[in-house]
Amino acid sequence: MFRTILTSLILTCLLSAQDYHWPIRAQQSLSATFCEYRTGHLHAGIDIKTWGEMEVPCLAIADGHIERIQIGYKGYGRGVFVRLQDGNLAVYGHLELFTPALEKLIREKQKELERYTIRIEFTPDEFPVKAGKLIGYSGTSGTEHPHLHFEIRDSSRQALNPQLFYPRIKDTRPPILDEVQLIQISPEDRINNSKKSVIIDLDKTDKQVTASGPFRVAINAHDRANGTYNKYSIYQGEIFVDDDLIYSRVFDQVPLKLTDYVDQLYPGRRGKRGWRFMSMFTRNDSCLFPFTPPELTGTINPEGLSTLKIRVADIKGNQEIKTLDFRKQNLAFWSIENSDGQYTITRSYPENAY
């Protein structure tokens, strides 16, 4: 509850402090959201649909100046970095063209260096921009399909969730929570009598779990939005045991230096829809990953019969909640009796006195 209230306060403060223009002359519809899985990194922004169109005008979201132009075959492709007057940095990726003055400068620089890949930095007075004014055109540079990759970073190199600044993106559809993966901490422990991690389909009725020791949780969940078939990352995930919050992730921001730690957030196993499981725990042998309070480790100790509740939500507050029961499972034990040289070996299951 505290985390939810805190997130709402952060959202309110951001929206009240900023009034940014939409960065492209296209409707507010997304093909990808913040912190989705990418090979080797987390998605540090949003992808805005152009519905197959090329060279859609891209606009400055606020007053500022062009700080950098970056040209490459991969990554952002043709990217522009706009430093805003409030100190934030707006990043536009996969552009096809810049303004004529920038295009002329780029061609001269490429000719001078005799290569396509370049990076040019500017002083604040060289290319000032005004809110709503043209800075370039969308395209497919560095990618396959036409769209605009867009980021907002703060002055301390934190990538911020751009959806926090654009509350008018329409979304009335709740996320979908498909499966839960339960992962043993100790190799001696069992979950549903299995030595390996267990995946539970939350759409099925039989969702009771037996566990012989502490375990952790990963979830297979994704979000949907109005007017598109794209699958998005969720904005928030929470786990409760008997109504006590034991873990929470909120995707509001991430330090850029941690966007390479994608395997800590998405351990690698895929669910039934092909979406990667998201870890809902913090490992002891790793750096503290963002999006969660440091006191919550996500370790579940199944003492007695309890209810495990998983809540996922999108940035609009649409949510899905699913539950399962779990209880501690005592492992079977062996005993040996010697009677006149004959040995009897017995395996006992204390759970059902068998």
Side-chain angles (χ1 to χ4, degrees):
M1 177 64 73
F2 172 76
R3 182 67 175 177
T4 303
I5 294 173
L6 179 61
T7 302
S8 299
L9 290 175
I10 293 173
L11 175 59
T12 301
C13 291
L14 283 172
L15 294 178
S16 62
Q18 311 294 348
D19 186 18
Y20 289 153
H21 282 255
W22 186 240
I24 187 170
R25 203 165 287 161
Q27 63 179 288
Q28 296 192 11
S29 182
L30 308 181
S31 58
T33 55
F34 188 64
C35 280
E36 290 182 7
Y37 174 86
R38 295 292 184 271
T39 302
H41 68 279
L42 295 172
H43 194 232
I46 57 175
D47 289 345
I48 302 173
K49 283 177 171 287
T50 61
W51 302 96
E53 283 193 53
M54 294 284 290
E55 299 183 17
V56 180
C58 297
L59 313 172
I61 64 172
D63 293 352
H65 68 274
I66 294 178
E67 185 175 84
R68 184 166 85 246
I69 291 287
Q70 193 169 299
I71 310 290
Y73 294 105
K74 298 180 180 179
Y76 294 110
R78 293 165 65 90
V80 58
F81 298 72
V82 179
R83 180 65 65 181
L84 309 177
Q85 287 186 354
D86 61 16
N88 287 345
L89 185 71
V91 182
Y92 301 71
H94 309 314
L95 300 189
E96 198 70 19
L97 293 169
F98 299 105
T99 60
L102 284 173
E103 285 291 338
K104 181 176 182 293
L105 182 63
I106 289 167
R107 286 194 298 271
E108 291 173 351
K109 194 68 173 178
Q110 288 173 327
K111 184 177 180 180
E112 174 192 343
L113 299 176
E114 296 183 338
R115 65 170 185 261
Y116 176 77
T117 303
I118 60 171
R119 172 185 169 123
I120 310 175
E121 297 189 5
F122 304 105
T123 60
D125 58 342
E126 287 185 272
F127 287 96
V129 296
K130 287 290 185 180
K133 298 302 182 181
L134 180 72
I135 60 171
Y137 299 88
S138 68
T140 57
S141 62
T143 187
E144 296 181 5
H145 305 291
H147 69 274
L148 173 66
H149 173 83
F150 177 70
E151 299 176 18
I152 297 177
R153 306 175 185 174
D154 67 14
S155 57
S156 60
R157 291 182 58 78
Q158 296 257 4
L160 308 178
N161 188 336
Q163 285 185 269
L164 293 171
F165 300 89
Y166 297 104
R168 293 183 180 88
I169 298 176
K170 189 174 181 180
D171 183 3
T172 60
R173 301 175 65 183
I176 296 174
L177 178 58
D178 279 320
E179 298 169 302
V180 170
Q181 181 183 8
L182 307 179
I183 306 166
Q184 301 92 329
I185 294 178
S186 169
E188 290 79 26
D189 288 328
R190 303 289 184 270
I191 297 175
N192 288 356
N193 294 318
S194 173
K195 294 189 292 184
K196 298 181 179 180
S197 64
V198 171
I199 292 178
I200 297 176
D201 189 335
L202 293 174
D203 291 330
K204 296 182 178 179
T205 56
D206 184 13
K207 293 178 291 187
Q208 189 175 80
V209 179
T210 58
S212 65
F215 60 90
R216 296 165 175 157
V217 172
I219 61 174
N220 175 20
H222 65 274
D223 189 26
R224 296 284 197 184
N226 299 57
T228 176
Y229 290 102
N230 295 89
K231 291 193 298 186
Y232 304 140
S233 175
I234 61 172
Y235 173 66
Q236 185 179 33
E238 295 176 324
I239 296 180
F240 300 84
V241 172
D242 293 341
D243 293 325
D244 292 329
L245 180 67
I246 64 166
Y247 204 75
S248 173
R249 286 199 188 278
V250 178
F251 294 95
D252 46 19
Q253 61 184 25
V254 58
L256 282 177
K257 64 181 180 179
L258 292 185
T259 55
D260 291 339
Y261 287 69
V262 62
D263 291 333
Q264 289 191 25
L265 184 59
Y266 299 97
R269 196 164 179 179
R270 294 180 182 271
K272 62 183 180 181
R273 299 176 194 259
W275 203 249
R276 285 181 180 259
F277 278 90
M278 177 192 298
S279 67
M280 293 294 289
F281 57 86
T282 302
R283 298 201 317 257
N284 295 331
D285 60 344
S286 68
C287 67
L288 179 64
F289 208 71
F291 324 120
T292 188
E295 67 274 10
L296 301 179
T297 65
T299 299
I300 299 172
N301 192 358
E303 293 290 341
L305 182 64
S306 302
T307 300
L308 181 69
K309 181 170 70 176
I310 305 104
R311 173 186 174 270
V312 294
D314 61 27
I315 203 164
K316 296 291 189 178
N318 304 306
Q319 65 179 358
E320 180 168 62
I321 299 174
K322 292 189 176 180
T323 62
L324 55 90
D325 293 328
F326 70 96
R327 56 196 174 96
K328 185 175 180 179
Q329 176 190 32
N330 295 315
L331 291 176
F333 61 88
W334 297 87
S335 62
I336 301 177
E337 296 180 359
N338 182 359
S339 177
D340 297 329
Q342 293 189 0
Y343 292 87
T344 301
I345 302 175
T346 304
R347 187 180 187 186
S348 302
Y349 296 85
E351 194 168 73
N352 53 17
Y354 173 73

